[in-house]
Amino acid sequence: FECALAMDSFVQRHYYQLQGIPEELWPALYEKLVNDILDSGDKLEFGIEEDEDGDREYFVQVKAECSLLCHGEVFLVDHAWTTSVPSADADLRRSPQLLHRMCGLMQIEMSGDTDDDVRSVLSDMWRFAQHYQIGYGTHEEASVWYIM
């Protein structure tokens, strides 16, 4: 009974966000969100192809040994880094692992000097970053930046 109430509350709270997702997948989505299940890597492969001009194309494909049912599965994809413009510098300085990961992702050779490495990531991240807007009720919207 409690779980049904929680699911009803989830649907009420996120109804407009759920409109692009088939309704039969809502319970599976709820379950994955509540239990932090990030299982896309079990069935999907993510990749980057670069053409001769250096332009990158990102893709997702089903692993050879797997199959997916149409409207039968839903996957959550976690971002490598989610930040805001005011906090990006501090995020990188606070987490050497994040700085190292972003340098690797952006193909930036680390200098060993944290200030230089942070500057390099901050100047290059915009080639990789995407964003979305979130609202806070009656408050102003904020941009959230993420790198996959």
Side-chain angles (χ1 to χ4, degrees):
F1 179 71
E2 208 172 292
C3 186
L5 286 176
M7 177 66 188
D8 289 344
S9 176
F10 169 75
V11 170
Q12 286 178 347
R13 174 174 270 172
H14 298 285
Y15 182 77
Y16 293 106
Q17 294 169 304
L18 293 168
Q19 291 308 295
I21 300 169
E23 192 170 340
E24 61 267 21
L25 294 178
W26 294 0
L29 175 63
Y30 173 76
E31 177 74 19
K32 288 185 177 192
L33 287 167
V34 167
N35 294 307
D36 198 26
I37 298 171
L38 301 170
D39 61 349
S40 60
D42 295 344
K43 292 194 176 186
L44 306 174
E45 296 176 324
F46 301 85
I48 303 172
E49 288 182 351
E50 194 168 316
D51 65 19
E52 58 275 351
D53 296 327
D55 294 327
R56 292 181 177 168
E57 183 175 309
Y58 299 88
F59 65 89
V60 177
Q61 65 187 22
V62 178
K63 288 183 176 181
E65 67 276 6
C66 297
S67 64
L68 300 179
L69 301 171
C70 182
H71 296 273
E73 300 189 53
V74 64
F75 297 101
L76 303 178
V77 179
D78 198 12
H79 302 141
W81 180 27
T82 304
T83 191
S84 64
V85 173
S87 67
D89 184 278
D91 290 349
L92 294 166
R93 291 178 190 283
R94 188 173 35 253
S95 175
Q97 298 88 349
L98 175 63
L99 179 58
H100 186 268
R101 186 175 183 193
M102 289 301 106
C103 284
L105 179 82
M106 296 176 197
Q107 298 179 331
I108 296 170
E109 189 171 330
M110 295 187 77
S111 69
D113 179 291
T114 300
D115 290 337
D116 288 344
D117 293 339
V118 167
R119 259 192 304 278
S120 295
V121 169
L122 292 176
S123 68
D124 207 33
M125 69 183 272
W126 308 109
R127 294 187 313 124
F128 301 91
Q130 297 180 40
H131 80 285
Y132 57 90
Q133 298 288 117
I134 57 173
Y136 298 102
T138 60
H139 296 90
E140 194 173 308
E141 287 189 346
S143 289
V144 176
W145 293 90
Y146 65 94
I147 296 176
M148 298 288 282

